[in-house]
Amino acid sequence: MSVIPGAWWRTAEGAGLLSADGTVAPTIFAEMSAAAARTGAINLGQGFPDEDGPQEVLDAARQAIAAGVNQYPPGRGVPDLLSAIAEHQQRFYGLEVDPAREVIVTAGATEALTASLLALIDGPDDEVVVFEPYYDSYAAAVALAGATLVTVPLRRPEFQPDLDRLADAVTDRTRIIIVNDPHNPTGAVFAREALTEIVRLAERHDAVIVTDEVYEHLAFHATHIPIATLPGAAGRTLTISSAGKTFSTTGWKIGWVHGPADLITAVLTVKQYLTYVNGSPFQPAIAVGLRLPDSYFAGSAAVLAHKHEILGAGLRSAGFEVVPPQGGYFTVADATELGGADVAAFCRALPERAGVVAIPLTAFVSPEHRAEYAGLVRFAACKRVEVLEEAAARLSAGF
Ligand code: PMP
Ligand code: GLN
């Protein structure tokens, strides 16, 4: 087998699928989780909860395994889950989804996104617009699909899209606009004005909107508006979500994508050769989760908001300047005053210095734009309260 070192995408930290010496470079999340394991530091880096999700969901998976639901499910997904996804979209957002033709289950949101890009991109002349900072798999998937990445900045303090830059970025070459709302890593929840402008530009330039809404139920200081609910959007939008965040089951990798039947068919043609199918006993369990009462969904957002309060207070008392999030797992804090202008070096030293692991925001930014986000650190709030309190105490002692 021949490999071409450095041929794939580069992350902001200079890594890639293959680094220059031909070794496989880890993602920033894997690297930082390894640092936590090595040093015993509290891991506020990789975004995964340290508590189990709803008992009903866990029990349903155990029952499915015991009942022999252990072989390949249908290619589009288990019919009961397809129906539960359609019911969920109707119940929370008033969206009409045909479970037989307009939705497929995927191996997490990651596969839904990658399959969507591989299905819709023709070649390097196709451009994909993303908002920066962006979740790391977006640039990787754009590179795998052979398209050209075009970035639009999210501006502090609210991290809303720069609409002038958006208007410049979207052209007739734009095949896809990727939206991530609520947003990782900034915690922004996109305002209606921004979403409306995205739809207007997509219509004008005939682009597809691919929206990653894995934190859809974790908006707490703003209302999450699924972009597919805006006038004119549903016919050109692929909406992606995942059970990982909503039910604290990130390891199950049950995600989904829904949208117009022709786009979904295109995604399925790729998806069937990526994983074919996944997670047969977990699919009926997630159907149970999606049918839980409203109180479950509202409750998990409220709990996460409380955790962000604790984390934010701890970061402030340690001397960080905190950017309060409106949703999602993460709080962004400015470490410039604490000597964190070189934030990658700051985060690499943090486990030894303070016993806490966090992720530099530059890991979500193209190399040429790093300076704009220098000093910013992402901390995960999806941990038990006592863990966050201990992390806050360690940070206060460390600075
Ligand atoms: N999109 C965003 C914005 C995420 O933060 C994550 C990871 N938590 C994913 C996608 C990946 O989701 P999944 O694990 O379902 O593939
Ligand atoms: N989504 C998680 C985060 O942003 C990481 C998932 C992963 O490691 N790929 O931290």
Side-chain angles (χ1 to χ4, degrees):
M1 187 182 82
S2 70
V3 293
I4 307 170
W8 297 92
W9 89 94
R10 295 195 167 275
T11 71
E13 298 315 310
L17 189 58
L18 292 171
S19 57
D21 63 1
T23 56
V24 177
T27 71
I28 186 73
F29 309 115
E31 180 188 337
M32 290 303 185
S33 284
R38 194 174 61 243
T39 59
I42 295 177
N43 190 356
L44 302 187
Q46 196 173 30
F48 62 89
D50 58 358
E51 285 176 293
D52 276 336
Q55 198 58 44
E56 302 91 312
V57 173
L58 304 178
D59 287 345
R62 287 190 196 96
Q63 281 158 18
I65 291 171
V69 184
N70 298 308
Q71 310 309 327
Y72 297 127
R76 284 176 185 262
V78 168
D80 189 40
L81 177 56
L82 298 174
S83 296
I85 293 164
E87 285 164 30
H88 171 278
Q89 295 305 89
Q90 168 64 249
R91 167 179 158 199
F92 285 99
Y93 311 127
L95 285 169
E96 292 290 339
V97 177
D98 176 351
R101 296 165 60 244
E102 295 181 336
V103 54
I104 49 179
V105 176
T106 54
T110 308
E111 188 194 34
L113 185 100
T114 304
S116 299
L117 290 173
L118 290 170
L120 299 179
I121 294 300
D122 289 329
D125 291 342
D126 283 351
E127 294 183 353
V128 179
V129 171
V130 301
F131 295 97
E132 189 170 56
Y134 48 80
Y135 181 55
D136 71 335
S137 83
Y138 298 174
V142 169
L144 289 169
T148 300
L149 186 76
V150 175
T151 60
V152 172
L154 299 174
R155 296 280 187 219
R156 287 173 77 179
E158 267 96 33
F159 289 115
Q160 289 293 321
D162 181 325
L163 297 184
D164 294 331
R165 291 282 293 276
L166 179 65
D168 292 342
V170 181
T171 69
D172 289 344
R173 289 187 301 281
T174 306
R175 183 75 179 119
I176 294 173
I177 304 172
I178 300 181
V179 175
N180 170 212
D181 178 33
H183 187 259
N184 175 10
T186 66
V189 172
F190 281 25
R192 185 179 292 275
E193 180 198 10
L195 296 171
T196 303
E197 179 66 355
I198 293 167
V199 176
R200 188 184 73 81
L201 291 167
E203 281 183 310
R204 176 190 283 186
H205 297 285
D206 197 21
V208 172
I209 299 166
V210 173
T211 179
D212 172 349
E213 302 186 359
V214 300
Y215 300 102
E216 61 184 315
H217 287 293
L218 299 176
F220 33 80
H221 294 320
T223 303
H224 163 58
I225 306 168
I227 195 165
T229 62
L230 267 59
R236 58 175 67 253
T237 300
L238 286 169
T239 299
I240 292 170
S241 193
S242 167
K245 308 293 144 56
T246 303
F247 303 112
S248 297
T249 52
T250 60
W252 288 11
K253 296 297 286 190
I254 301 296
W256 52 88
V257 50
H258 78 79
D262 56 340
L263 294 182
I264 287 295
T265 302
V267 178
L268 185 62
T269 59
V270 174
K271 183 256 174 326
Q272 67 184 349
Y273 294 115
L274 286 179
T275 54
Y276 175 46
V277 291
N278 69 295
S280 54
F282 301 123
Q283 293 197 26
I286 297 306
V288 170
L290 289 171
R291 294 183 176 121
L292 287 173
D294 290 359
S295 54
Y296 169 73
F297 298 91
S300 46
V303 167
L304 188 62
H306 175 61
K307 291 180 171 186
H308 276 290
E309 293 295 325
I310 293 168
L311 174 63
L315 289 169
R316 276 191 205 94
S317 71
F320 289 85
E321 193 191 312
V322 173
V323 185
Q326 296 179 305
Y329 271 177
F330 308 106
T331 287
V332 170
D334 193 330
T336 311
E337 296 293 309
L338 298 174
D342 180 348
V343 74
F346 179 86
C347 286
R348 250 179 231 113
L350 200 59
E352 308 281 1
R353 179 173 177 180
V356 173
V357 164
I359 308 271
L361 224 71
T362 48
F364 303 86
V365 176
S366 304
E368 62 274 27
H369 301 146
R370 278 188 212 166
E372 281 184 55
Y373 301 90
L376 297 179
V377 185
R378 189 194 83 167
F379 292 88
C382 51
K383 307 292 173 182
R384 281 170 291 137
V385 166
E386 57 270 32
V387 172
L388 296 171
E389 283 170 349
E390 171 64 19
R394 289 188 187 187
L395 287 165
S396 290
F399 293 97

